[in-house]
């Protein structure tokens, strides 16, 4: 069997012109280009052997000239609640994690955008890894493709929703994240509706403004967690260069240009952000734009934080609802396999 050179380019990263030239040089008909493109993007092939309507000779030629720098599932764990967590090994040996979350009418996949994360939010395990590198758009794509296949096998249905809430800060890998969303939503790709995709950020104001300027059509969620500037600086260091006031202005700009409703994610931490005073500050902050609030349980990590007691959470939520705010209480899933929000961390690096 043909062996490709070590320097063979990933076929998913070459241009249409380069692929056309390759086919012409090898005496292949032009329509093969459309077939190959459909295998790559509509069908999500991760190796040449899957391209069964191509001749064996052409597949061997492709193998000798190109490669797939594809991610592979190296570990899978199942939660008691049906959630599945996956460890992906990338072409260079680095590892990332992704999650499948089933519910009655949907399956949501949570994808990573970076290897590790540089932002070091105090309550998030991923921040303990530090930052290694950005993921390429195709590495984000691979997570979806592989978990979508497993979703069919595990739950009998394809993934319906995608959230960029795994490892990393999506807006610090802007170009690759937006390209992966394009691949997922374009008619020549998976053709998913942008309304089925949510990008979550800790509040990178420059990136939020760029999303607005670029006509971003998917959902935007902001990990706010407190509307108190000093508290946010203490638990989320990013606030030192992206203040709450700057974030407010960026979100107003985003809403003004897109007409979208923002989602605030709010992890309730006992004695940190769960008092009535905190609820009042949050309600005031929410006056600036249309918003809904997702109240999220704190999921255990190695930090000293603790989740709010039920009474404090109930009082907090009731206060917000009395201010006519939309509040959803999100139940954690996958905590028993460290797959819940804030728990994704590559174990071999956790002790470093």
């Amino acid at each position: 069997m043909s062996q490709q050179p070590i320097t063979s380019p990933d076929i998913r990263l070459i241009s249409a012109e380069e692929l056309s030239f390759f086919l012409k040089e090898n005496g292949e008909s032009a329509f093969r280009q459309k077939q190959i493109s459909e295998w790559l993007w509509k069908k999500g092939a991760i190796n040449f052997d899957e391209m069964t309507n191509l001749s064996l000779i052409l597949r061997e030629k492709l193998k000798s000239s190109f490669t797939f720098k594809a991610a592979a599932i190296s570990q899978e764990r199942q939660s008691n609640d049906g959630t599945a967590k996956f460890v992906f090994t990338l072409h260079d040996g680095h590892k990332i994690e992704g999650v499948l979350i089933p519910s009655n009418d949907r399956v949501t996949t949570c994808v990573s955008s970076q290897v590790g994360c540089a932002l070091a939010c105090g309550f998030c395990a991923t921040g303990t890894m530090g930052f290694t590198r950005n993921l390429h758009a195709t590495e984000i794509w691979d997570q979806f493709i592989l978990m979508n296949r497993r979703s069919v096998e595990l739950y009998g249905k394809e993934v319906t929703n995608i959230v960029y809430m795994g490892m990393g800060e999506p807006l610090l890998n802007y170009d690759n994240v937006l390209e992966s969303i394009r691949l997922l939503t374009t008619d020549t790709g998976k053709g998913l509706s942008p309304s089925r995709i949510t990008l979550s950020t800790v509040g990178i104001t420059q990136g939020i403004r760029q999303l607005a300027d670029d006509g971003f059509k998917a959902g935007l969620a902001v990990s706010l967690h407190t509307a108190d500037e000093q508290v946010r600086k203490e638990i989320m260091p990013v606030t030192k260069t992206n203040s709450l006031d700057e974030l407010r202005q960026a979100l107003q700009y985003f809403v003004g240009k897109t007409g979208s409703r923002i989602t605030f994610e709010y992890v309730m931490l006992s004695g940190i952000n769960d008092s009535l005073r905190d609820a009042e500050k949050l309600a005031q902050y929410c006056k600036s734009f249309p918003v809904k609030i997702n109240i999220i349980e704190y999921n255990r990590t190695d930090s000293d934080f603790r989740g709010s007691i039920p009474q404090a959470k109930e009082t907090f939520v009731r206060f917000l609802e009395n201010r006519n705010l939309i509040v959803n209480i999100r139940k954690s899933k996958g905590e028993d396999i460290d797959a819940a929000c804030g728990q994704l961390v590559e174990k071999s690096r956790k002790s470093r």
Side-chain angles (χ1 to χ4, degrees):
M1 182 175 290
S2 301
Q3 297 293 320
Q4 70 258 39
I6 295 176
T7 56
S8 295
D10 188 330
I11 191 169
R12 300 174 301 178
L13 302 183
I14 66 172
S15 67
E17 291 75 19
E18 288 173 301
L19 180 57
S20 176
F21 178 79
F22 168 84
L23 292 170
K24 185 176 180 180
E25 286 289 294
N26 284 275
E28 296 288 343
S29 300
F31 77 89
R32 295 295 185 193
Q33 181 161 358
K34 182 179 180 182
Q35 289 180 313
I36 293 171
S37 179
E38 286 181 345
W39 276 111
L40 294 178
W41 306 120
K42 276 194 171 296
K43 300 176 182 179
I46 55 175
N47 61 64
F48 295 109
D49 292 327
E50 293 181 6
M51 302 180 179
T52 51
N53 62 351
L54 303 183
S55 70
L56 183 59
I57 292 175
L58 176 53
R59 278 182 271 164
E60 289 299 314
K61 289 178 180 178
L62 288 168
K63 288 180 186 179
S64 68
S65 298
F66 305 106
T67 189
F68 279 85
K69 291 183 177 179
I73 295 174
S74 53
Q75 185 181 344
E76 177 178 343
R77 296 179 66 192
Q78 302 285 328
S79 168
N80 294 327
D81 60 27
T83 301
K85 184 172 80 166
F86 303 87
V87 176
F88 299 94
T89 299
L90 307 178
H91 69 90
D92 58 2
H94 290 305
K95 298 181 186 298
I96 55 172
E97 295 187 343
V99 183
L100 279 176
I101 309 164
S103 60
N104 293 334
D105 59 346
R106 67 177 65 182
V107 179
T108 299
T109 183
C110 175
V111 298
S112 294
S113 57
Q114 297 178 314
V115 180
C117 184
L119 297 180
C121 296
F123 47 84
C124 179
T126 310
T128 64
M129 291 176 60
F131 171 75
T132 299
R133 69 170 176 86
N134 286 328
L135 297 183
H136 193 277
T138 55
E139 294 174 316
I140 300 171
W141 167 267
D142 283 342
Q143 294 173 69
F144 169 79
I145 292 298
L146 293 171
M147 286 194 283
N148 191 48
R149 293 181 182 184
R150 288 297 290 137
S151 179
V152 173
E153 295 165 355
L154 291 171
Y155 316 121
K157 64 176 73 173
E158 293 194 341
V159 166
T160 58
N161 296 73
I162 306 170
V163 293
Y164 285 71
M165 297 182 183
M167 292 178 168
E169 165 54 55
L171 293 185
L172 293 181
N173 187 16
Y174 190 93
D175 291 341
N176 284 308
V177 165
L178 268 288
E179 173 62 11
S180 71
I181 293 175
R182 186 195 69 79
L183 292 171
L184 290 164
T185 57
T186 185
D187 289 340
T188 56
K190 297 304 293 184
L192 299 174
S193 169
S195 65
R196 297 281 188 172
I197 299 174
T198 300
L199 183 156
S200 178
T201 176
V202 297
I204 307 298
T205 55
Q206 182 178 351
I208 292 170
R209 289 178 178 274
Q210 189 173 350
L211 288 176
D213 291 338
D214 289 343
F216 187 68
K217 298 186 183 305
L220 178 65
V222 177
S223 295
L224 188 69
H225 306 312
T226 177
D228 184 300
E229 185 81 21
Q230 186 56 43
V231 173
R232 200 166 194 266
K233 284 180 181 179
E234 292 172 1
I235 65 175
M236 302 178 70
V238 69
T239 307
K240 296 173 183 177
T241 52
N242 295 264
S243 71
L244 282 173
D245 187 54
E246 291 169 327
L247 178 58
R248 177 193 289 110
Q249 294 176 41
L251 292 174
Q252 288 173 325
Y253 183 78
F254 179 86
V255 170
K257 296 206 75 170
T258 67
S260 301
R261 181 188 295 274
I262 305 297
T263 297
F264 280 153
E265 295 162 324
Y266 200 101
V267 172
M268 297 204 67
L269 303 170
S270 181
I272 304 295
N273 64 354
D274 62 348
S275 69
L276 275 179
R277 176 177 174 274
D278 293 308
E280 171 63 31
K281 282 181 173 287
L282 178 58
Q284 285 293 120
Y285 197 76
C286 289
K287 288 182 177 180
S288 300
F289 23 67
V291 65
K292 64 179 180 180
I293 303 164
N294 286 343
I295 299 295
I296 302 171
E297 295 180 37
Y298 172 70
N299 301 301
R300 56 180 174 79
T301 68
D302 289 340
S303 76
D304 293 329
F305 291 105
R306 296 291 179 268
S308 299
I309 62 173
Q311 183 179 354
K313 185 188 301 182
E314 182 181 340
T315 302
F316 190 94
V317 170
R318 189 184 307 119
F319 179 92
L320 296 176
E321 290 177 336
N322 288 338
R323 295 296 182 93
N324 297 316
L325 288 165
I326 301 171
V327 184
N328 299 310
I329 300 175
R330 296 298 190 200
K331 180 173 173 54
S332 289
K333 288 193 172 185
E335 186 176 9
D336 58 317
I337 57 170
D338 292 335
C341 289
Q343 291 186 317
L344 300 188
V345 60
E346 207 277 285
K347 296 295 185 181
S348 65
R349 300 182 55 183
K350 192 172 181 179
S351 61
R352 294 185 186 179

